[in-house]
Amino acid sequence: QVQLVESGGGLVQAGGSLRLSCEASGGTFSTYGMGWFRQAPGKEREIVAAISWSGGGTYYTDSVKGRFTISRDNAKATVYLQMNSLKPEDTAVYYCAARDYGLASTLGEYYYWGQGTQVTVSS
């Protein structure tokens, strides 16, 4: 059973930066496609970014392009989300998720989920 644990959330002012981490255990991390999702109060969970098992392919939702960067370290079984130029509308609980191999951008394509980490951006 794959377990995912997110960390790195917190409170930051608009324009600031945070780096989220998601450490995986219980599976073969290097074979998983990974994604970061977020859910704001009263809204549906949405994709933020995704990365293929090798790191060679990435996806970003339009609202974070140029500001967020997803990366992974297979030796550490960890995926990262570097968030720069944060905006109040980025406030949400951020979740990482895993699936077999390929890149995917929809919630239903991911099998394993972390518990989430809160990111709050003040104006």
Side-chain angles (χ1 to χ4, degrees):
Q1 182 72 15
V2 177
Q3 293 185 329
L4 304 173
V5 179
E6 302 97 336
S7 61
L11 173 64
V12 64
Q13 289 188 332
S17 298
L18 283 173
R19 188 175 82 154
L20 305 184
S21 299
C22 172
E23 185 172 359
S25 61
T28 306
F29 180 79
S30 60
T31 66
Y32 295 142
M34 300 296 296
W36 283 99
F37 291 75
R38 65 186 179 188
Q39 188 167 18
K43 295 189 177 181
E44 294 186 353
R45 194 171 299 189
E46 64 173 0
I47 183 77
V48 176
I51 189 166
S52 64
W53 65 273
S54 67
T58 57
Y59 168 88
Y60 297 93
T61 195
D62 286 346
S63 62
V64 307
K65 285 180 181 176
R67 299 190 298 124
F68 291 10
T69 302
I70 189 170
S71 62
R72 66 189 297 158
D73 185 337
N74 285 347
K76 295 182 178 180
T78 301
V79 63
Y80 304 98
L81 186 67
Q82 178 67 44
M83 305 186 294
N84 298 328
S85 302
L86 282 161
K87 304 175 181 180
E89 50 263 44
D90 295 317
T91 295
V93 177
Y94 283 70
Y95 300 88
C96 73
R99 67 185 305 275
D100 287 339
Y101 293 107
L103 196 64
S105 61
T106 59
L107 188 148
E109 295 181 275
Y110 286 84
Y111 315 139
Y112 307 106
W113 291 85
Q115 293 300 305
T117 185
Q118 176 70 46
V119 172
T120 302
V121 184
S122 62
S123 58

